[in-house]
Amino acid sequence: MKNVLSRIFPEERNIPNENNISLIHQDGYLCDGEIVKWNGETESVYSPIYVKGSSGLERKYLGKYPLMSEAEALKVLNAAVSAYDNGKGKWPAFSVPERIKCVEVFAEEMKEQRDLIVNILMWEICKTFKDSQKEFDRTIEYIADTVNALKSLDRNSSRFVIEKGIIAQIRRAPLGVVLCMGPFNYPLNETFTTLIPALIMGNTIIFKPPKIGVLLHSPLLKAFQNAFPEGVVNTVYGKGEKVIAPLMKSGKIDVLAFIGSSRVADILKKQHPKPHRLKAVLGLEAKNAGIILKDTDIQLTVKECLSGSLSYNGQRCTALKILFVHEDIIDEFISSFVRESENLKIGMPWEKDVNITPLPEPDKAEYLTDLVNDAVNKGAEMMNPDGGMFNQTVFYPAVLYPVSEEMKVYQEEQFGPIVPVVSYKNIETPLKYVQESPYGQQVSIFGRNHDEIAKLIDPLVNQVCRVNINSQCQRGPDTFPFTGRKDSAEGTLSVSDALKVFAVRTLVAAKDTDLNKSIIDAIVRERKSKFLSTDFIL
Ligand code: G3H
C-alpha cells in the first residue's frame, strides 16, 4: 500500500484529456438580476488532488471566486427583500403555473451544463466521476419531482371547503427571504433540495455555496439570471463572519436553510435579532449505528456495511459511522469485512471503478490519524494492515476493533474512512448507545429473525427517524421523509415535505352568507385573484 500511495497522484500529462479541467475565474455574483462584475479580493480554489510537478507535489489550482464583503452582502439582501416586497413582489405574486414555468426553464438550461458541472464537482470535492454524474442527475430528477409534487398540492388546494358555516380556501403561501447554504459533500444536490422548493413556493433566495464546492455553481449563474425575475435568486461568496453574519443580524432573513454542523447552525440562529421569527430548516451531524445480530447473513451485511460506511470515503451524513457486532460472529464479520474492503480501489476520481479518493477538507488525514491513534492507545487494533496509511489527502480506510466508550471515535462523527467496530453480548449495549447519542438520524439493523428485529424497531423509532432493515442508512428515495432527532436535524425534507416547510398554510374564509357567496363567486368567475381561485393545473 505504501507504494500504491506514493504513486497515487498523477503527473499533469497522465490526466486523461476528457477529465482535465480548465481554470474557472468566477468574476461576478448574482444580485438583483445582474451578474455584477467583481474586481475585489478573491479566494483561490485548489483541488484535493495533488499533481506531480518539477518542484514536487502541488494541489491543482482550479480557479478563484469573489471574496465579498459586508457591503455587497447587504446589497444582495436588499435585492432579495425588494423582490419579495412584503409578498407583493412579482415572484411571490406569480401564479403556481407561472413559477413552475420559470423553474422548468432553469432546469433546461441547467441540463445543458451537465458535463461542465460534473467535471468541476469531481475536481472540487473528489467525488468519483460516476457519483458526480449521479449527484447531477439526481438533482435534475428532484426538480422534476418537485414540480409534479407542487402541481398535485395545488390541485388539492384548488377547491373550497365548507365547515361549520364557514367557506374557506386553504393554500400554502411563501414566507419571505430564504438563505440557503448547502454542505461540501453534496454541494449541488443538497443545496438544491432546499433552494428549489423554497423558490418554487414563491420565496426569494440568497444562496451561498459551501466553502468547498463553490466553482461548480458558477455555470448556473446565467441560468438563474435567465429563468427568474430580478432579485429572486441572488448569490453571496466569502467568509461567513463577513457575508452571513450581517444578513442574519439584519433580521430580514425569514428562513435559514442550512446543511452543516450544529455549531454553525447555533451561531447563525443566535445572530437573528428575533429568533422566533426565523424558521430554520437544518440538516446536521449524525453518527448512525449498524446493529448486527448474531443470526445475520454475513455476506449481505458486509456488503451493506461496506458501502454504508465507505462510499464517498464515509463523507455522507447518512454513513454508518459505528458498527455493533454480536460477539458470537465478530471474528467472522471482521475478517469478511476486511477481505472485502481490500477490494476497494483507491485512486483518482475519474478512474474506472474507483472507491477511495482524496479528501477535500483541510487537514482531514491528520484529524483521522488522531482518531486512530487515540483509539489504538486506548486498546483498539487496526484490523486491516494498511488501514490509516495516507499520502497527503488520500487516506486508506481504517477498520478499528475493539472500539470502546472512552475512545474519541466512539462518539465523534469521523465523516471519513474509519470504521469503528464494537462487539456486544447484550443487545442493550447498542440500544443504550443510540439512546445516549446526541444524534438521532438513522440506524440499520441486520439479522434474519423477525421476532428479534421487531423487538428493536419500537425502541429505535423513537430515537431516530429511519430504521433500516438489512439495508444501509441512506437519504433516498428523495420522496421519503429525510430528517433527524436531537442534534441531527430540524424540519423534514422530501420532495413533498420541503414544499410545506418553505410555506405557511394560509386561508381566505367567510361566513356562509348570500353576500359572501356572491363575492367569492364573482372573484372566482372573473379570475380576479390568484389565491382565491379554482383553476386546476392539468
Ligand atoms: O450527506 C448526507 C446526504 O443527505 C446523504 O444522502 O444517503 O443519499 O448519500 P445519501
Side-chain angles (χ1 to χ4, degrees):
M1 185 50 55
K2 244 193 183 137
N3 280 339
V4 174
L5 281 171
S6 68
R7 287 182 273 106
I8 199 92
F9 293 112
E11 286 180 36
E12 189 65 42
R13 65 189 164 94
N14 296 332
I15 302 170
N17 275 340
E18 65 276 22
N19 300 117
N20 215 332
I21 185 164
S22 317
L23 287 185
I24 302 142
H25 285 172
Q26 187 187 318
D27 60 357
Y29 61 96
L30 185 58
C31 176
D32 210 11
E34 236 188 281
I35 299 179
V36 182
K37 185 97 178 137
W38 178 254
N39 296 311
E41 239 188 298
T42 53
E43 178 77 357
S44 299
V45 180
Y46 292 89
S47 171
I49 298 173
Y50 283 76
V51 175
K52 276 186 221 150
S54 50
S55 46
L57 284 178
E58 274 183 25
R59 286 178 81 152
K60 175 134 170 142
Y61 176 60
L62 300 180
K64 55 187 182 181
Y65 63 83
L67 259 190
M68 291 161 64
S69 69
E70 177 169 347
E72 292 83 36
L74 290 176
K75 274 189 201 149
V76 161
L77 175 67
N78 282 340
V81 170
S82 310
Y84 191 69
D85 191 15
N86 293 306
K88 295 180 289 142
K90 197 170 175 184
W91 184 247
F94 261 6
S95 66
V96 168
E98 282 169 322
R99 280 193 232 128
I100 287 177
K101 183 89 208 104
C102 294
V103 168
E104 286 176 338
V105 167
F106 172 76
E108 282 313 306
E109 288 205 27
M110 180 172 165
K111 282 186 214 163
E112 287 167 20
Q113 305 293 333
R114 180 179 186 267
D115 292 350
L116 180 59
I117 293 173
V118 165
N119 197 42
I120 310 173
L121 194 149
M122 181 186 79
W123 275 96
E124 274 192 292
I125 66 159
C126 275
K127 189 169 271 192
T128 66
F129 180 61
K130 214 166 120 200
D131 285 347
S132 299
Q133 286 179 317
K134 266 198 216 156
E135 176 162 350
F136 185 94
D137 297 340
R138 179 179 179 179
T139 308
I140 292 290
E141 201 179 317
Y142 189 92
I143 298 175
D145 289 348
T146 300
V147 164
N148 287 333
L150 179 57
K151 283 183 183 168
S152 87
L153 191 68
D154 195 73
R155 284 175 195 135
N156 293 337
S157 324
S158 68
R159 50 193 280 274
F160 284 85
V161 281
I162 306 177
E163 197 76 49
K164 296 192 175 151
I166 310 272
I167 309 171
Q169 186 167 33
I170 309 167
R171 288 187 182 275
R172 289 178 198 269
L175 296 163
V177 176
V178 180
L179 173 61
C180 290
M181 296 166 72
F184 86 82
N185 65 333
Y186 276 94
L188 182 73
N189 182 261
E190 291 227 310
T191 307
F192 276 48
T193 58
T194 61
L195 189 152
I196 293 295
L199 190 56
I200 209 165
M201 291 311 282
N203 303 283
T204 59
I205 308 290
I206 299 173
F207 148 48
K208 180 183 178 292
K211 223 186 274 170
I212 310 166
V214 177
L215 297 177
L216 67 103
H217 293 101
S218 171
L220 293 175
L221 288 189
K222 264 242 138 322
F224 278 127
Q225 186 190 28
N226 294 342
F228 299 102
E230 60 268 22
V232 172
V233 181
N234 309 277
T235 59
V236 285
Y237 311 90
K239 306 234 178 307
E241 322 83 70
K242 281 211 177 151
V243 296
I244 298 301
L247 303 185
M248 295 306 295
K249 287 180 187 164
S250 74
K252 292 178 182 168
I253 298 294
D254 300 294
V255 187
L256 170 67
F258 173 77
I259 301 180
S261 73
S262 55
R263 188 188 65 80
V264 174
D266 284 346
I267 295 173
L268 298 178
K269 280 174 95 168
K270 283 183 195 149
Q271 287 170 343
H272 198 288
K274 288 191 177 178
H276 61 276
R277 277 184 58 169
L278 177 73
K279 182 160 185 185
V281 184
L282 310 174
L284 307 170
E285 302 96 314
K287 180 93 179 168
N288 294 342
I291 304 178
I292 297 150
L293 304 174
K294 72 173 169 201
D295 67 344
T296 202
D297 173 337
I298 297 271
Q299 214 188 339
L300 173 144
T301 307
V302 164
K303 186 172 153 274
E304 288 293 315
C305 289
L306 198 65
S307 143
S309 54
L310 292 174
S311 52
Y312 187 38
N313 312 303
Q315 301 169 120
R316 293 161 58 234
C317 61
T318 47
L320 283 170
K321 298 198 178 97
I322 189 159
L323 302 178
F324 288 85
V325 183
H326 192 277
E327 62 175 12
D328 288 2
I329 53 161
I330 188 80
D331 293 339
E332 190 186 355
F333 177 83
I334 288 186
S335 57
S336 170
F337 189 92
V338 166
R339 206 169 42 246
E340 290 299 321
S341 72
E342 279 162 359
N343 294 329
L344 295 178
K345 186 173 164 188
I346 183 163
M348 294 301 108
W350 55 79
E351 287 173 31
K352 194 171 178 292
D353 299 328
V354 71
N355 303 100
I356 302 298
T357 55
L359 306 171
E361 288 179 286
D363 304 323
K364 191 64 190 240
E366 289 73 12
Y367 166 71
L368 296 173
T369 304
D370 176 60
L371 286 183
V372 166
N373 291 343
D374 172 77
V376 169
N377 289 338
K378 291 171 181 161
E381 278 179 50
M382 185 66 75
M383 291 290 111
N384 50 337
D386 299 330
M389 284 186 186
F390 71 95
N391 180 4
Q392 308 288 359
T393 47
V394 180
F395 187 97
Y396 193 77
V399 184
L400 289 170
Y401 170 76
V403 162
S404 52
E405 267 180 70
E406 63 284 6
M407 299 171 190
K408 287 196 232 175
V409 77
Y410 188 83
Q411 301 290 359
E412 277 177 39
E413 182 188 26
Q414 65 272 40
F415 216 77
I418 297 184
V419 186
V421 184
V422 184
S423 140
Y424 72 89
K425 189 186 178 73
N426 187 330
I427 193 66
E428 286 308 316
T429 306
L431 286 179
K432 186 164 167 278
Y433 178 85
V434 176
Q435 192 179 310
E436 289 175 358
S437 168
Y439 310 117
Q441 193 197 63
Q442 300 191 18
V443 70
S444 289
I445 309 169
F446 296 92
R448 297 183 208 249
N449 182 313
H450 70 275
D451 274 342
E452 291 283 311
I453 293 173
K455 270 189 239 153
L456 295 177
I457 290 175
D458 289 1
L460 286 170
V461 285
N462 292 342
Q463 294 300 324
V464 297
C465 286
R466 175 161 164 168
V467 174
N468 301 279
I469 299 172
N470 290 321
S471 317
Q472 60 166 297
C473 298
Q474 62 182 49
R475 174 177 180 148
D478 290 329
T479 45
F480 284 6
F482 178 56
T483 184
R485 298 169 185 273
K486 302 193 255 186
D487 294 350
S488 284
E490 183 173 342
T492 302
L493 292 172
S494 79
V495 168
S496 56
D497 286 291
L499 294 174
K500 297 171 188 163
V501 159
F502 292 105
V504 61
R505 296 247 281 168
T506 302
L507 55 148
V508 175
K511 285 193 176 153
D512 188 355
T513 63
D514 287 345
L515 173 65
N516 288 342
K517 275 198 281 198
S518 73
I519 292 172
I520 292 171
D521 189 48
I523 293 173
V524 170
R525 197 168 6 91
E526 293 169 30
R527 300 178 128 187
K528 294 276 177 177
S529 163
K530 285 178 181 163
F531 188 101
L532 204 66
S533 154
T534 51
D535 282 357
F536 190 86
I537 306 178
L538 291 172

Short mmCIF file of all heavy atoms in Angstrom, two decimals, residues 138 185-186 190 316-318 473-476 482, ligand 1:
data_model
loop_
_atom_site.label_atom_id
_atom_site.label_comp_id
_atom_site.label_asym_id
_atom_site.label_seq_id
_atom_site.Cartn_x
_atom_site.Cartn_y
_atom_site.Cartn_z
N ARG A 138 -29.54 13.19 -10.13
CA ARG A 138 -30.50 13.11 -9.01
C ARG A 138 -31.11 14.50 -8.75
O ARG A 138 -32.29 14.62 -8.41
CB ARG A 138 -29.73 12.61 -7.78
CG ARG A 138 -30.53 12.48 -6.52
CD ARG A 138 -29.63 11.96 -5.41
NE ARG A 138 -30.34 11.84 -4.15
CZ ARG A 138 -29.79 11.40 -3.03
NH1 ARG A 138 -28.53 11.01 -3.02
NH2 ARG A 138 -30.49 11.33 -1.92
N ASN A 185 -20.26 17.95 0.85
CA ASN A 185 -20.29 16.57 0.34
C ASN A 185 -21.37 16.34 -0.72
O ASN A 185 -21.27 15.41 -1.51
CB ASN A 185 -20.44 15.57 1.49
CG ASN A 185 -21.77 15.71 2.20
OD1 ASN A 185 -22.37 16.77 2.23
ND2 ASN A 185 -22.24 14.62 2.80
N TYR A 186 -22.40 17.18 -0.70
CA TYR A 186 -23.41 17.18 -1.77
C TYR A 186 -23.64 18.64 -2.14
O TYR A 186 -24.73 19.17 -1.93
CB TYR A 186 -24.73 16.57 -1.28
CG TYR A 186 -24.80 15.06 -1.34
CD1 TYR A 186 -24.47 14.28 -0.24
CD2 TYR A 186 -25.21 14.42 -2.51
CE1 TYR A 186 -24.55 12.90 -0.30
CE2 TYR A 186 -25.29 13.04 -2.57
CZ TYR A 186 -24.96 12.29 -1.46
OH TYR A 186 -25.04 10.92 -1.52
N GLU A 190 -27.70 18.78 -2.29
CA GLU A 190 -28.33 19.17 -1.02
C GLU A 190 -28.64 20.66 -0.98
O GLU A 190 -29.55 21.07 -0.27
CB GLU A 190 -27.46 18.74 0.15
CG GLU A 190 -27.45 17.23 0.27
CD GLU A 190 -27.67 16.72 1.68
OE1 GLU A 190 -26.98 17.21 2.58
OE2 GLU A 190 -28.52 15.85 1.87
N ARG A 316 -20.66 11.01 4.12
CA ARG A 316 -22.10 11.22 3.94
C ARG A 316 -22.70 11.35 5.33
O ARG A 316 -22.31 10.63 6.25
CB ARG A 316 -22.74 10.01 3.23
CG ARG A 316 -22.30 9.84 1.80
CD ARG A 316 -22.57 8.43 1.30
NE ARG A 316 -23.97 8.08 1.39
CZ ARG A 316 -24.41 6.99 2.03
NH1 ARG A 316 -23.60 6.16 2.63
NH2 ARG A 316 -25.71 6.75 2.07
N CYS A 317 -23.64 12.27 5.46
CA CYS A 317 -24.24 12.41 6.79
C CYS A 317 -24.94 11.12 7.18
O CYS A 317 -25.03 10.78 8.35
CB CYS A 317 -25.17 13.61 6.86
SG CYS A 317 -26.55 13.48 5.73
N THR A 318 -25.41 10.36 6.18
CA THR A 318 -26.12 9.12 6.45
C THR A 318 -25.20 7.91 6.58
O THR A 318 -25.68 6.79 6.76
CB THR A 318 -27.12 8.83 5.30
OG1 THR A 318 -26.42 9.02 4.08
CG2 THR A 318 -28.32 9.75 5.35
N CYS A 473 -27.94 2.81 5.87
CA CYS A 473 -28.67 4.07 6.04
C CYS A 473 -28.52 4.89 4.76
O CYS A 473 -27.48 4.85 4.11
CB CYS A 473 -28.11 4.87 7.21
SG CYS A 473 -28.25 4.02 8.80
N GLN A 474 -29.53 5.62 4.41
CA GLN A 474 -29.45 6.49 3.24
C GLN A 474 -30.60 7.48 3.24
O GLN A 474 -31.58 7.30 3.94
CB GLN A 474 -29.48 5.68 1.94
CG GLN A 474 -30.76 4.89 1.74
CD GLN A 474 -30.73 4.07 0.47
OE1 GLN A 474 -29.76 3.35 0.22
NE2 GLN A 474 -31.76 4.19 -0.34
N ARG A 475 -30.42 8.52 2.46
CA ARG A 475 -31.46 9.55 2.37
C ARG A 475 -32.58 9.11 1.42
O ARG A 475 -33.75 9.34 1.67
CB ARG A 475 -30.84 10.85 1.87
CG ARG A 475 -31.86 11.91 1.60
CD ARG A 475 -31.24 13.24 1.18
NE ARG A 475 -32.30 14.21 0.95
CZ ARG A 475 -32.21 15.49 1.14
NH1 ARG A 475 -31.08 16.01 1.56
NH2 ARG A 475 -33.22 16.30 0.92
N GLY A 476 -32.19 8.53 0.30
CA GLY A 476 -33.15 8.26 -0.77
C GLY A 476 -34.10 7.13 -0.47
O GLY A 476 -33.91 6.41 0.51
N PHE A 482 -36.89 12.88 5.04
CA PHE A 482 -35.50 12.87 5.49
C PHE A 482 -35.36 13.87 6.62
O PHE A 482 -35.55 15.07 6.43
CB PHE A 482 -34.58 13.25 4.32
CG PHE A 482 -33.12 13.30 4.70
CD1 PHE A 482 -32.49 12.20 5.27
CD2 PHE A 482 -32.37 14.44 4.48
CE1 PHE A 482 -31.15 12.24 5.62
CE2 PHE A 482 -31.03 14.49 4.83
CZ PHE A 482 -30.42 13.38 5.40
O1 G3H B 1 -24.81 13.76 3.48
C1 G3H B 1 -25.98 13.42 3.61
C2 G3H B 1 -26.82 13.08 2.46
O2 G3H B 1 -28.11 13.58 2.55
C3 G3H B 1 -26.87 11.61 2.29
O3 G3H B 1 -27.57 11.27 1.19
O4 G3H B 1 -27.78 8.87 1.78
O5 G3H B 1 -28.31 9.70 -0.49
O6 G3H B 1 -25.95 9.62 0.30
P1 G3H B 1 -27.38 9.77 0.65
#
